[in-house]
Amino acid sequence: MKNAPVTPRKHKLIEYANGPSLEEINGTVPVPKNKGFWRTLFAYSGPGALVAVGYMDPGNWSTSITGGQNFQYLLMSVILISSLIAMLLQNMAAKLGIVSQMDLAQAIRARTSKALGIILWIMTEFAIMATDIAEVIGAAIALYLLFHIPLVIAVFVTVFDVLLLLLLTKIGFRKIEAIVVCLILVILLVFVYQVALSDPDWGGVIKGLIPTAGTVAAHPNVNGMNPLSGALGIIGATVMPHNLYLHSAISQTRKINHDNEDEVATAVRFTQWDSNIQLTFAFIVNSLLLIMGVAVFKSGAVKDPSFFGLFKALSDTSMLSNGVLIAVAKSGVLSVLFAVALLASGQNSTITGTLTGQVIMEGFIHMRMPLWARRLVTRLISVIPVLFCVWMTRNLPAVDEHEALNNLMNNSQVFLAFALPFSMLPLLMMTDSRAEMGVRFKNSLWVKVCGWISVLGLTYLNLIGLPDSFAGFLGAHATAGQIEIAHLLAYVAIVAVLVLLVWCTVELYRGNKRLERAQQDHTTNSPHFAGEVD
């Protein structure tokens, strides 16, 4: 990879980038050698936390709580399966970054054409902006609920979290990891406290972890949701494409000798330990959200699943399930803690979303911007639909404004359905490749089988949910003709995605064959670690 001169780069807002992933922090965190398990694990802990926040962002909250309200503990198994798939995919992403010394975007771009790289970059940017919209809505509503800041002003206030990012870039990556862990603990403790007060049916919780035919049934229909649509909502809000790009980059922050295969193996092992532990916390948080829907509120009490509705429900004693909750709710503690957790979740996403944006921009189109500038641009774009939504509902009752914001957040997630297959499929193909990963680090048989089942299953579920997602943009009062047109557009989009997937698969396959031929010709100038090849 090319090394650009250092001095000019300090004076450019936009510059060429074709070096190590997130070059400013790549290989900057020292790790101990030949030390005990716990000391080594601590040194590698951190990147998993940055990834885990994507699995507990504001986009997950309403789907999990509403799923609990409508179907009790039935969808617990969906959260469990989604979390296990997330662990599998994130472990592969981290391994790709450590072994190949390229993040996922760089690895895809190195194996595909410039045209495909640009298309995938644009698609992934839209997916990141979709998650940013959920973050803007969550943070703005939290500010409104906590400090009574008008929504329009609160939306603009979220733009200034770029100043927080500027501060964080000065204190070092290890401290950023620590801050993210602290915010995760805030979210976790808030929901542990609220669920503990509700005294849930733990037998029902454990039983719900076992999937049944009813988990993905089309009936019954409760408040416009059936178990299948609820399961699709949870899956769509859980597995995020940008997390795979992020993990493949930040897994390279540890300083190791890539010429020593045992050191690489140690890095892979402890990075995967870190990822699995942090994603277990994410699983607990999402489970607590669903349990809240069942145990904190009376069955069917929450008619407004928006953040406004949930905040109000936590202070409305008529909606709560037992005397202890009612007594605490009278003080306003429950609702305030909910808003604090919402704000913490939004700020966590600020950090990870910006890092991911830089990863895909550098990897796909070899362009770099300062983190603060990139954050400012993407946030200003993301606030536009939120402000438009607030402006359009300004003369309507408050409940209509709340519903419109909630629908905007949920419908924006449709972009994730487009982007997810184009991160999962290349990740699986490259980590399955002996030429890419070497004999020691290529996926084992069971990982390969589980990976293909997960990738094909998630791709199928995301695509079959597109017709309803497209129709969701029309609102609750759409005519039959409008819904039919929306479904037709969705089917056209599905065909386009499948064609693009075939294109991507063919180019990745050809790129892998080129690498194999280069290795057979004893080429020694490859920029990545491939391990021993027979």
Side-chain angles (χ1 to χ4, degrees), residues 433-483:
S433 168
R434 178 176 169 178
E436 187 72 50
M437 305 299 291
V439 176
R440 185 170 181 176
F441 299 109
K442 71 185 290 289
N443 291 336
S444 62
L445 179 61
W446 78 267
V447 171
K448 182 183 295 188
V449 171
C450 292
W452 279 107
I453 291 173
S454 301
V455 168
L456 294 175
L458 285 176
T459 300
Y460 172 74
L461 291 174
N462 272 273
L463 293 183
I464 66 167
L466 280 181
D468 288 339
S469 297
F470 273 51
F473 282 101
L474 301 174
H477 306 293
T479 65
Q482 290 173 327
I483 293 175

Side-chain angles (χ1 to χ4, degrees), residues 198-438:
S198 70
D199 190 24
D201 174 14
W202 292 110
V205 172
I206 295 171
K207 184 179 178 181
L209 292 173
I210 303 171
T212 64
T215 306
V216 290
H219 299 286
N221 192 294
V222 181
N223 296 323
M225 176 189 287
N226 58 47
L228 176 60
S229 63
L232 289 173
I234 290 173
I235 291 170
T238 301
V239 183
M240 301 284 190
H242 64 277
N243 273 333
L244 302 178
Y245 293 99
L246 177 65
H247 208 179
S248 64
I250 59 177
S251 63
Q252 300 177 54
T253 54
R254 271 47 185 176
K255 188 176 182 179
I256 63 172
N257 178 12
H258 284 86
D259 293 326
N260 185 326
E261 195 172 272
D262 289 334
E263 276 197 40
V264 175
T266 298
V268 170
R269 176 190 173 207
F270 282 98
T271 299
Q272 292 181 343
W273 265 101
D274 168 49
S275 175
N276 291 340
I277 290 170
Q278 302 292 352
L279 287 175
T280 298
F281 282 121
F283 162 71
I284 293 171
V285 168
N286 286 321
S287 298
L288 290 172
L289 286 165
L290 188 140
I291 294 170
M292 273 187 67
V294 180
V296 172
F297 308 106
K298 292 178 181 177
S299 180
V302 180
K303 303 298 183 185
D304 179 4
S306 71
F307 297 135
F308 298 98
L310 294 171
F311 180 87
K312 182 179 179 181
L314 285 168
S315 58
D316 186 346
T317 57
S318 67
M319 301 181 74
L320 300 176
S321 62
N322 64 49
V324 176
L325 283 167
I326 290 171
V328 177
K330 288 179 179 178
S331 67
V333 169
L334 292 182
S335 54
V336 169
L337 285 177
F338 176 84
V340 168
L342 183 60
L343 188 60
S345 177
Q347 292 314 302
N348 258 344
S349 300
T350 292
I351 300 168
T352 58
T354 306
L355 289 173
T356 308
Q358 191 71 3
V359 168
I360 66 163
M361 182 181 286
E362 291 183 20
F364 281 128
I365 61 172
H366 298 162
M367 187 173 78
R368 177 187 290 126
M369 296 173 64
L371 289 179
W372 65 267
R374 179 182 164 86
R375 184 60 184 173
L376 193 60
V377 170
T378 55
R379 178 49 64 91
L380 287 172
I381 294 173
S382 299
V383 301
I384 292 172
V386 181
L387 289 173
F388 181 76
C389 185
V390 172
W391 182 77
M392 288 293 291
T393 57
R394 66 192 186 285
N395 296 322
L396 299 177
V399 66
D400 291 327
E401 180 184 64
H402 301 169
E403 182 182 356
L405 283 171
N406 200 53
N407 288 338
L408 172 63
M409 182 179 68
N410 292 334
N411 292 333
S412 68
Q413 307 301 296
V414 69
F415 293 107
L416 303 179
F418 287 113
L420 187 57
F422 297 96
S423 56
M424 294 190 301
L425 182 64
L427 175 64
L428 186 56
M429 289 182 67
M430 283 185 281
T431 52
D432 278 348
S433 168
R434 178 176 169 178
E436 187 72 50
M437 305 299 291

